[in-house]
């Protein structure tokens, strides 16, 4: 092949470059990192199946947001018959009191930064 | 074809780098605006649109004015415009891109602009403005590209492009009409609520745009081997003359209606613009200069003996451009907000960062014009490559 | 499920409204507006066309009073800037001369001329702001006429501010958070680059509470209720008094009425 050597070296460099984040994590010992989630003290279960929540909580939040803001539908009936408010700060954070020790654990690791907190207020940070 | 924009002499590169520097500076200020918010502009709760939206409005006019060369050339087969039509089209493309950039920098949440397409709202003129501008950009980019390609290959342009060109003519009128609808449909703002706004926009566009094109042609002749020819430039000058006359006529219509009926919430804006209101008169000197320039331009243009002298024509074109820029790019938008619907006067002055960001956008436009013209002229071998 | 439940809520709400409407405006002697938490306690207030009647005479009796504005701005995390350029306000006191710009005349009663009265979003029947919004971030809620805001969708183009004939909308020119006197967590704050305004406390209505301004008004100058209900307090007031609206000639049909 024409200039096979150069191509191979080039490819190797390329591979090395695209895997930099991986090597970086190995180097700082983050490779086998697992998020340390603080379990709520006041409940055993989340408001939906845990698997569902792990994978789809952002969809649920979007649904809630549209229900509340656009469809004037603010409450849902929980399995125990109680009315539950569809609210990020008032509901999610009433169990997961520490955003830092819960939500951020995953998000920081994944590098997602939901912009919700630009507006939605974290009760814990107010000392309430 | 693109490679043609990347070869040139020292002067060419000097100019390019100067523009890049201006753009870079504007970008740095934009980053600051992005971080801190629009508070770094002179805008306020009362005057919510200012320099950015005014430049947008002005440039939609420049973009639409391409039709003044396209129409005679393609519809009336006015062959004299053969050489400059492509310049008009590229000017349109660059202007539309500037318009879009001005809208972008004016947004509070620029990265949510996508919502305009995710949740289309046909009741909003802004929705239609977005659609018509985007369409106009595509049309002109396509036409310019196809025409230039066939010219380079020395073949006749494909037949299918003709209907597209015809379509671009009413489309040009539509972009500026819809831009006027942004304003003239608002019952809250008496100053804009006038049926003559769209005609006025078109008249001022069809004078300031071709005036700019004349200046560009003469600049090109000075710095390159390109020569638009005497005849087409004179023809453009006539277009500028008619359009400018209409523009002034329309303004006078407006002034008569407002002054004679003297309904307070109509007159208040004109009072602010030309005389000052409640002791505030920041725009008055500008507006008087604009009016004086308009009169001067008309005198020079209407008189054939002065219009035919190239030196004077250049001066007249500068006058037209400046007069309309002040009227549309400073007065028109801001005066709509002063006085406020509650009758209070809050003045607006663009801040330094705001001006730098605007300069950056203009720099971007000039860079595009330069690149496009370079390509067009290189294809015609009117430039040493 | 949601349809049936909503119907139910509406029914129970109507009853609640009858009660609330009757006492609207002069309930709560305590000016501390209570929080929006504890959703189960009240059935929501449900109306077909919410409206407010403001008795200017009562406002004139207490010229320095600003309770409505204070309460509203407190429950909604509205920041407090001391410069008019960045200012954000949902309900505030405006002189008669400004609020009714085309109205008054040279020889109008001195007291009225300088009277300060509350102004807020008029929740127009034909809201120009909603008409011009390019993303549907502001719209009129068909079921009860509230002109709503979706802060998640707003792109910050400020077209609605140009379109509003009443100056009722504010824009977040800068990050508001550092300027909120006392941040609360039960209602989100906003961020730089979005528009905001009064939503007639839709979040409180859903919890069976009157709008914060109405609840906070010690003079009983603000009355809130359903225009479609012929027995409502607002309808009674409109029947018994001569009332005016801001810029009626524009055809926006404001739903905030003023007793002069």
């Amino acid at each position: 092949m024409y200039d096979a050597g150069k191509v191979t070296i080039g490819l190797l460099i390329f591979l090395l470059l695209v895997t930099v984040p991986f090597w970086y994590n190995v180097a700082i010992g983050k490779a086998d990192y697992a998020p340390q989630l603080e379990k709520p003290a006041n409940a055993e279960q989340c408001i939906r199946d845990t698997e569902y929540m792990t994978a789809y909580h952002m969809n649920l939040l979007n649904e809630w947001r549209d229900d509340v803001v656009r469809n004037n539908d603010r409450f849902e009936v929980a399995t125990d018959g109680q009315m539950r408010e569809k609210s990020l700060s008032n509901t999610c954070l009433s169990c997961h009191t520490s955003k830092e020790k819960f939500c951020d654990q995953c998000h920081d690791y994944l590098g997602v930064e939901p912009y919700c907190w630009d507006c939605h207020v974290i009760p814990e940070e107010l000392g309430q | 074809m693109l490679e043609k924009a990347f070869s040139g002499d020292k002067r060419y590169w000097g100019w390019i780098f100067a523009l890049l520097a201006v753009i870079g500076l504007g970008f740095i200020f934009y980053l600051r605006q992005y971080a801190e918010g629009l508070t770094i502009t002179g805008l306020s709760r009362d005057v919510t649109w200012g320099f950015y939206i005014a430049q947008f409005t002005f440039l939609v006019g420049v973009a639409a004015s391409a039709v003044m060369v396209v129409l005679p050339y393609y519809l009336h087969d006015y062959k004299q415009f053969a050489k400059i039509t492509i310049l008009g089209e590229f000017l349109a493309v660059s202007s539309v891109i500037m318009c879009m950039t001005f809208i972008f920098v004016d947004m509070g949440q620029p990265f949510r602009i996508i919502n305009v397409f995710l949740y289309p709202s046909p009741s909003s003129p802004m929705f239609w403005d977005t659609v018509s501008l985007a369409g106009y950009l595509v049309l002109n980019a396509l036409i310019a590209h196809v025409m230039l390609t066939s010219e380079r290959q020395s073949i006749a342009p494909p037949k299918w492009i003709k209907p597209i060109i015809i379509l671009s003519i009413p489309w040009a009128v539509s972009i500026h009409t819809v831009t006027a609808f942004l304003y003239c449909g608002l019952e809250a703002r008496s100053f804009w609520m006038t049926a003559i706004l769209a005609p006025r926009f078109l008249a001022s566009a069809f004078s300031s745009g071709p005036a700019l094109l004349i200046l560009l042609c003469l600049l090109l002749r000075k710095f390159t081997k390109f020569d638009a020819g005497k005849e087409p430039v004179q023809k453009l000058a006539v277009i500028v003359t008619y359009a400018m006359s209409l523009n002034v006529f329309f303004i006078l219509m407006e002034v008569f209606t407002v002054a004679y009926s003297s309904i307070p919430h109509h007159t208040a804006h004109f009072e602010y613009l030309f005389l000052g209101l409640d002791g505030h008169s920041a725009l008055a000197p500008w507006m008087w200069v604009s009016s004086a320039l308009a009169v001067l331009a008309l005198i020079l243009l209407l008189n054939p003996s002065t219009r035919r002298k190239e030196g004077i024509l250049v001066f007249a074109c500068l006058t037209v451009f400046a007069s309309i820029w002040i009227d549309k790019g400073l007065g028109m938008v801001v005066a709509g907000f002063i006085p406020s619907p509650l009758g209070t006067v809050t003045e607006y002055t663009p801040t330094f960062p705001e001006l730098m960001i605007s300069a950056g956008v203009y720099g971007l436009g000039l860079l595009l014009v330069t690149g496009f013209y370079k390509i067009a002229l290189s294809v015609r071998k009117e430039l040493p490559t | 499920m949601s349809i049936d439940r909503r119907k139910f809520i509406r029914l129970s709400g109507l009853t609640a409204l009858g009660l609330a409407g009757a006492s609207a405006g002069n309930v709560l002697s305590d000016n501390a507006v209570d929080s929006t938490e504890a959703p189960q306690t009240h059935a929501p207030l449900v109306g077909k066309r919410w409206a407010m009647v403001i008795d200017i005479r009562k406002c004139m009796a207490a010229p320095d009073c600003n309770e409505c504005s204070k309460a509203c701005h407190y429950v909604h995390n509205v920041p407090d800037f001391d410069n008019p350029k960045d200012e954000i306000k949902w309900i505030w006191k405006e002189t008669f001369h400004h609020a009714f710009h085309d109205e008054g005349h040279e020889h109008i009663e001195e007291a009225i001329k300088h009277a300060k009265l509350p102004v807020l979003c008029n929740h127009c029947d034909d809201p120009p702001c909603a008409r011009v919004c390019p993303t549907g971030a502001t719209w009129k809620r068909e079921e009860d006429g509230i002109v709503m805001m979706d802060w998640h969708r707003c792109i910050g183009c400020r077209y609605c501010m140009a379109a509003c004939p009443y100056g009722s909308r504010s824009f977040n020119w800068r990050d508001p958070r550092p300027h909120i006197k006392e941040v609360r967590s039960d209602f989100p704050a906003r961020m730089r680059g979005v528009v905001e305004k009064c939503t007639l406390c839709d979040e409180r209505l859903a919890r069976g509470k009157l709008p914060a301004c109405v609840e906070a008004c010690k003079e009983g100058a603000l009355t809130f209720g359903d225009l479609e209900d012929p027995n409502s307090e607002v309808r009674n007031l409109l029947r018994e008094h001569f009332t005016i609206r801001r810029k009626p000639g524009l055809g926006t049909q404001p739903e905030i009425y003023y007793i002069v």
Side-chain angles (χ1 to χ4, degrees):
Chain A
M1 206 172 106
Y2 174 66
D3 257 354
K6 274 185 197 157
V7 172
T8 320
I9 294 174
L11 271 180
L12 278 179
I13 293 179
F14 175 74
L15 265 180
L16 208 68
L17 278 180
V18 293
T19 50
V20 154
F22 174 72
W23 299 118
Y24 175 76
N25 280 343
V26 168
I28 64 165
K30 220 176 145 189
D32 50 3
Y33 171 88
Q36 295 296 309
L37 302 179
E38 186 189 67
K39 297 270 159 179
N42 59 350
E44 288 298 308
Q45 277 177 347
C46 198
I47 51 172
R48 302 279 191 278
D49 291 346
T50 311
E51 294 79 58
Y52 175 84
M53 287 310 278
T54 310
Y56 298 116
H57 60 281
M58 41 285 182
N59 299 16
L60 179 70
L61 282 169
N62 281 354
E63 256 168 54
W64 276 16
R65 181 193 61 201
D66 288 350
D67 282 351
V68 168
V69 179
R70 304 198 74 90
N71 305 327
N72 192 15
D73 181 9
R74 286 185 177 259
F75 303 106
E76 64 175 26
V77 184
T79 36
D80 60 2
Q82 288 273 2
M83 289 278 255
R84 181 192 298 129
E85 200 190 330
K86 299 179 179 175
S87 169
L88 175 54
S89 294
N90 301 347
T91 303
C92 306
L93 297 190
S94 71
C95 290
H96 305 292
T97 45
S98 172
K99 164 179 165 288
E100 209 178 308
K101 292 194 188 123
F102 187 74
C103 317
D104 290 355
Q105 288 293 317
C106 292
H107 295 165
D108 286 354
Y109 176 60
L110 294 160
V112 266
E113 256 186 87
Y115 65 95
C116 321
W117 314 110
D118 285 351
C119 299
H120 289 265
V121 182
I122 302 154
E124 197 190 39
E125 289 181 3
L126 301 177
Q128 281 177 358
Chain B
M1 237 189 287
L2 219 54
E3 76 283 352
K4 305 261 198 264
F6 291 100
S7 59
D9 56 12
K10 254 200 193 140
R11 207 170 47 192
Y12 176 72
W13 285 111
W15 169 240
I16 295 287
F17 279 112
L19 287 177
L20 284 174
V22 174
I23 296 170
L25 214 56
F27 186 69
I28 292 170
F29 277 98
Y30 180 70
L31 288 180
R32 205 182 123 203
Q33 178 184 301
Y34 186 72
E36 289 180 35
L38 283 153
T39 186
I40 69 162
T41 67
L43 297 167
S44 63
R45 196 177 184 281
D46 278 351
V47 185
T48 54
W49 283 344
F51 206 71
Y52 298 148
I53 294 293
Q55 301 318 302
F56 155 80
T57 310
F58 177 75
L59 288 167
V60 174
V62 176
S65 72
V67 79
M68 286 290 108
V69 284
V70 169
L71 192 146
Y73 179 58
Y74 291 111
L75 273 194
H76 298 285
D77 215 20
Y78 183 68
K79 288 281 185 301
Q80 294 281 2
F81 277 177
K83 271 179 150 179
I84 57 172
T85 302
I86 192 94
L87 301 187
E89 283 157 353
F90 276 136
L91 183 59
V93 172
S94 313
S95 304
V96 175
I97 293 175
M98 278 192 270
C99 289
M100 291 176 162
T101 319
F102 270 116
I103 291 288
F104 185 85
V105 300
D106 189 66
M107 291 294 120
Q109 288 292 326
F111 294 105
R112 287 189 187 170
I113 285 188
I114 185 80
N115 285 354
V116 176
F117 303 99
L118 291 181
Y119 311 102
S121 314
S123 67
S124 170
M126 196 175 282
F127 167 73
W128 291 108
D129 212 28
T130 319
V131 172
S132 67
L133 272 180
Y136 192 65
L137 178 63
V138 171
L139 284 180
N140 272 286
L142 182 71
I143 295 169
H145 177 77
V146 168
M147 297 312 280
L148 207 56
T149 312
S150 19
E151 194 171 323
R152 185 159 79 149
Q153 296 162 351
S154 310
I155 52 170
K159 277 223 174 59
W160 56 264
I161 197 73
K162 187 81 192 216
I164 293 183
I165 291 170
I166 306 288
L167 177 66
S168 82
I169 293 171
W171 203 292
V173 178
S174 88
I175 60 168
H176 218 21
T177 307
V178 179
T179 305
F181 287 176
L182 274 184
Y183 300 101
C184 68
L186 301 182
E187 61 263 55
R189 311 282 168 184
S190 321
F191 182 65
W192 301 328
M193 232 194 74
T194 161
I196 207 142
L197 199 68
R200 235 182 97 182
F201 272 17
L202 287 168
S204 57
F206 294 159
S207 44
S208 57
L212 178 62
L213 202 56
I214 292 178
L215 295 173
L216 287 174
C217 285
L218 297 180
L219 271 177
L220 285 178
R221 192 176 67 198
K222 186 146 188 227
F223 289 111
T224 71
K225 283 193 221 152
F226 172 86
D227 187 1
K230 217 169 163 53
E231 180 82 356
V233 167
Q234 276 305 316
K235 200 73 183 178
L236 278 177
V238 172
I239 292 176
V240 174
T241 310
Y242 277 121
M244 189 62 184
S245 314
L246 276 177
N247 182 38
V248 172
F249 176 67
F250 288 163
I251 293 178
L252 292 176
M253 295 296 92
E254 183 71 41
V255 170
F256 171 80
T257 313
V258 168
Y260 191 77
S261 63
S262 59
I263 301 172
H265 52 93
H266 284 277
T267 50
H269 299 280
F270 282 87
E271 244 172 82
Y272 171 70
L273 266 185
F274 287 95
L275 305 171
L277 200 63
D278 291 354
H280 298 281
S281 56
L283 278 176
W286 290 93
M287 293 313 291
W288 285 112
V289 168
S290 170
S291 313
L293 289 177
V295 172
L296 181 62
L298 276 190
I299 293 172
L300 296 178
L301 286 171
L302 282 172
N303 186 344
S305 63
T306 42
R307 184 175 67 228
R308 292 214 186 94
K309 290 207 185 71
E310 212 154 71
I312 298 183
L313 179 62
V314 168
F315 179 72
C317 285
L318 286 172
T319 332
V320 165
F321 194 80
S323 167
I324 291 176
W325 184 81
I326 294 172
D327 180 35
K328 244 174 158 178
L330 283 179
M332 205 286 300
V333 170
V334 175
F337 292 98
I338 307 174
S340 78
L342 279 72
T344 50
V345 178
T346 311
E347 285 208 293
Y348 160 81
T349 335
T351 58
F352 181 69
E354 204 173 354
L355 293 175
M356 291 309 289
I357 294 172
S358 306
V361 181
Y362 273 107
L364 175 72
L366 280 178
L367 185 71
L368 290 171
V369 170
T370 310
F372 285 144
Y373 281 14
K374 181 86 186 348
I375 294 171
L377 300 193
S378 308
V379 165
R380 297 205 180 133
K381 312 231 172 18
E382 271 155 338
L383 270 185
T385 32
Chain C
M1 158 222 116
S2 114
I3 300 287
D4 287 350
R5 190 171 59 79
R6 277 219 214 150
K7 261 200 199 129
F8 167 74
I9 293 179
R10 199 154 287 172
L11 282 176
S12 57
L14 282 176
T15 344
L17 180 73
L19 296 172
S23 56
N26 43 20
V27 263
L28 288 209
S29 44
D30 181 0
N31 87 1
V33 174
D34 45 65
S35 85
T36 50
E37 275 157 38
Q40 295 92 336
T41 46
H42 300 281
L45 297 184
V46 181
K48 291 216 184 72
R49 191 42 183 110
W50 292 126
M52 195 186 286
V53 178
I54 299 177
D55 192 335
I56 300 183
R57 299 164 308 176
K58 292 187 176 158
C59 289
M60 283 163 67
D64 296 324
C65 171
N66 202 22
E67 295 300 323
C68 51
S69 175
K70 266 199 242 160
C72 167
H73 291 181
Y74 170 59
V75 299
H76 294 120
N77 278 324
V78 175
D80 185 19
F81 293 100
D82 38 13
N83 67 64
K85 182 165 148 18
D86 291 323
E87 192 177 38
I88 292 181
K89 41 196 186 185
W90 288 23
I91 176 171
W92 71 100
K93 301 270 294 269
E94 196 63 74
T95 57
F96 182 86
H97 172 66
H98 284 149
F100 291 91
H101 189 49
D102 311 317
E103 222 74 12
H105 52 82
E106 229 178 304
H107 307 293
I108 200 165
E109 198 184 330
E110 262 321 285
I112 291 263
K113 199 165 170 185
H114 301 290
K116 286 203 148 194
L117 48 114
V119 293
L120 64 157
C121 169
N122 275 304
H123 296 280
C124 304
D125 263 356
D126 185 7
C129 54
R131 192 167 66 222
V132 302
C133 178
T135 62
T138 191
W139 73 100
K140 186 178 123 188
R141 198 155 83 175
E142 283 311 326
E143 68 247 47
D144 59 6
I146 295 182
V147 177
M148 291 289 295
M149 264 308 298
D150 186 344
W151 287 274
H152 307 94
R153 200 182 279 184
C154 174
I155 60 176
C157 70
R158 312 188 293 293
Y159 198 7
C160 53
M161 297 177 80
C164 176
Y166 308 102
S168 295
R169 292 176 160 267
S170 307
F171 181 72
N172 286 279
W173 299 103
R174 57 166 73 228
D175 182 14
R177 198 69 79 90
H179 303 269
I180 304 175
K181 272 202 209 119
E182 206 178 327
V183 185
R184 326 169 38 123
S185 63
D186 56 5
F187 194 87
R190 270 73 59 198
M191 61 177 167
R192 58 158 174 45
V194 295
V195 169
E196 61 183 77
K197 70 168 196 83
C198 152
T199 59
L200 224 43
C201 281
D202 75 292
E203 83 287 1
R204 292 171 59 88
L205 300 178
R207 295 170 172 94
K209 292 186 184 136
L210 287 171
C213 53
V214 176
E215 196 175 294
C217 179
K218 287 193 212 125
E219 313 296 325
L222 312 184
T223 307
F224 175 81
D226 186 1
L227 267 193
E228 299 274 302
D229 172 6
N231 300 316
S232 64
E233 182 82 353
V234 284
R235 283 287 291 272
N236 283 337
L237 286 172
L238 293 183
R239 245 192 314 269
E240 288 160 14
H241 300 274
F242 174 67
T243 44
I244 55 175
R245 296 190 285 179
R246 297 175 69 196
K247 307 200 177 181
L250 298 182
T252 54
Q253 303 289 4
E255 293 299 3
I256 311 290
Y257 299 78
Y258 292 86
I259 303 177
V260 214

